[in-house]
Amino acid sequence: MEALNRLCHCISVDQVALRGELATKLGGRGLSGTLLDTHPNLFAPLPVFIGRGHLDEMARVVAAVERLVATPLFRSTALGWASAVARFDPGIRGGLLGFDFHLGPHGPRLIEINTNPGGALLNALLLGAQQVCCSGAAQLASLPLDPAAVEQSLCDVLLAEWRMQRGGAALQSLAIVDESPLQQYLYPEFLLYQQALGRRGVHVLIADPHEIVERNGRLWVGDRPIDMIYNRLTDFALGQPVVEHVKSAYLAGSVVLSPNPRAHALYANKRNLCLLGDPAFLNAAGADPDDAEILARAVPHTELMTDANRADLWVRRRALFFKPIGGYGSKAAYRGDKITHRVWAEIAEREYIAQELVTPSERHASAESITPLKVDVRNYAYAGAVSLVAARLYQGQTTNFRTPGGGFAPVLTERVTTPHNAPAHG
């Protein structure tokens, strides 16, 4: 499959089909005709090829993380360094997760986990917008998932969160909440969720936290009470004054919040990466031996940056990647070989982890391209099961939507052949 990533440029995103899908999904919302123009680097023109062995291994990592997070030692350790609000258990899993991998010669390596991963529904659209102009390549690769099934599974995540906390009560209103949502780069995805959940009978509002008020023990947006919040805020601990009423409602149980501070503390706090790949901790936590082997292999060595190891980390910096514990979206994250003395002094004032540098795999955009694009692979998962696998193509230190030819890319893999003597499915 790596040969296809180097040499195959004849399977591409069908721009006509994609525009048609966007027009169908976002028609009348002021975005359908111009999204590919206003967001020129949102969708990459080429897919990424990933072998089924790598896909299966990533799925095993996701499942192993889920089982480890369920152990008492992991929970007590992760919650021990989390905020006080994260120790409140609302009784739900905490929503969709994004497991980000780099693929290398030794298999997939898990570089981080996110609790509000963007792009899932946008990537679902990409699955149905492929055009194949080379019959040989078409025989080698096929879509791993069905677009309609992906949309259904992503909506089911939010509905499952609701039922876990509210049982059989009807979900009538849900608010997608983010700061200045109209200015968010992935605002179109909010509209896709609004439409998809609307078809399931849920009234969906898209709101800034300033628009939410508390009245009579409920949260309201305008004249509508809110049953549930799909939380896209990056204030993971709900510590800002503008969301104080949201935090109060969450703690009182008057609103279902997904993802929530507890989920972030258990899955996405980057300090947890120090535990996930540590064989001694995995053994102490009672991890299944197979899970311990999978995680120790997949998670790069990660350590907390302290005054005691700071000098040693500087010496070893070229082989490390530095990330802020409370960071998101690659903000303030640095490759060690790119760090200046000024930046090194600045990060000493914050909590950082130092992670073994894992070089991403590459995708060549054309036969003439001199500089290939880097590849991050994201597994969107819930309850230990993967719903969607997508790639992000970029140049630079971290993922972005500024690289020409970069952006979200669909993942293609080998076809599954059914033995002649195997029973038919369906």
Side-chain angles (χ1 to χ4, degrees), residues 12-360:
S12 64
V13 174
D14 186 336
Q15 296 292 314
V16 174
L18 185 56
R19 285 182 184 273
E21 280 293 302
L22 290 168
T24 299
K25 300 288 188 181
L26 301 176
R29 297 165 188 255
L31 289 172
S32 61
T34 61
L35 181 61
L36 297 183
D37 302 315
T38 60
H39 294 58
N41 304 314
L42 178 60
F43 299 117
L46 294 174
V48 171
F49 298 93
I50 299 178
R52 286 197 179 271
H54 280 345
L55 292 174
D56 291 344
E57 181 69 7
M58 288 187 287
R60 285 191 285 268
V61 173
V62 169
V65 168
E66 187 70 21
R67 288 188 286 267
L68 179 66
V69 169
T71 63
L73 181 60
F74 183 92
R75 288 184 173 248
S76 63
T77 304
L79 293 174
W81 53 51
S83 63
V85 69
R87 297 176 192 129
F88 170 70
D89 185 359
I92 60 178
R93 292 184 180 276
L96 192 69
L97 299 173
F99 290 76
D100 292 347
F101 291 86
H102 284 173
L103 305 183
H106 303 294
R109 308 294 301 280
L110 177 66
I111 57 172
E112 66 182 49
I113 306 172
N114 298 284
T115 48
N116 57 354
L121 280 182
L122 291 167
N123 279 298
L125 286 180
L126 276 180
L127 292 179
Q130 303 305 302
Q131 63 181 9
V132 181
C133 58
C134 172
S135 59
Q139 295 303 313
L140 291 172
S142 63
L143 296 175
L145 292 168
D146 175 67
V150 171
E151 180 184 287
Q152 178 67 49
S153 69
L154 296 174
C155 290
D156 284 348
V157 167
L158 290 168
L159 298 175
E161 294 280 279
W162 168 261
R163 287 191 295 270
M164 288 181 72
Q165 194 165 342
R166 291 289 191 265
L171 173 59
Q172 297 181 329
S173 60
L174 177 144
I176 301 173
V177 178
D178 203 349
E179 293 183 16
S180 305
L182 287 171
Q183 278 69 58
Q184 294 295 331
Y185 191 76
L186 296 183
Y187 172 71
E189 183 175 49
F190 299 170
L191 297 176
L192 293 175
Y193 270 107
Q194 185 179 55
Q195 184 185 72
L197 289 167
R199 290 196 297 271
R200 291 159 177 79
V202 182
H203 185 89
V204 178
L205 304 97
I206 302 170
D208 182 282
H210 289 91
E211 299 177 74
I212 303 174
V213 299
E214 189 278 331
R215 291 201 303 268
N216 302 321
R218 297 284 302 277
L219 295 181
W220 296 69
V221 174
D223 59 356
R224 183 172 290 272
I226 300 303
D227 297 325
M228 182 175 182
I229 290 176
Y230 174 25
N231 179 22
R232 295 291 289 255
L233 294 166
T234 55
D235 179 9
F236 304 115
L238 303 178
Q240 299 298 316
V242 68
V243 293
E244 181 62 36
H245 54 310
V246 173
K247 180 171 73 173
S248 297
Y250 164 66
L251 294 174
S254 62
V255 70
V256 176
L257 181 71
S258 178
N260 53 53
R262 185 178 181 87
H264 183 270
L266 290 174
Y267 292 97
N269 186 325
K270 290 181 177 55
R271 187 169 177 175
N272 296 350
L273 293 165
C274 301
L275 308 177
L276 292 177
D278 180 0
F281 178 84
L282 296 172
N283 181 63
D288 178 89
D290 288 341
D291 286 349
E293 181 182 351
I294 288 168
L295 292 174
R297 180 172 65 242
V299 181
H301 176 74
T302 307
E303 54 192 297
L304 182 68
M305 187 174 178
T306 67
D307 290 339
N309 66 7
R310 179 175 166 78
D312 179 56
L313 292 177
W314 174 258
V315 173
R316 296 188 285 120
R317 69 190 184 281
R318 296 182 183 279
L320 300 171
F321 201 97
F322 296 87
K323 301 177 181 180
I325 285 177
Y328 61 91
S330 302
K331 294 182 183 296
Y334 305 98
R335 280 178 56 117
D337 57 353
K338 306 293 185 182
I339 287 183
T340 64
H341 286 280
R342 177 186 61 80
V343 170
W344 187 251
E346 289 176 356
I347 68 176
E349 305 301 317
R350 300 176 61 184
E351 288 188 305
Y352 265 73
I353 59 164
Q355 185 180 70
E356 173 195 346
L357 181 64
V358 181
T359 303

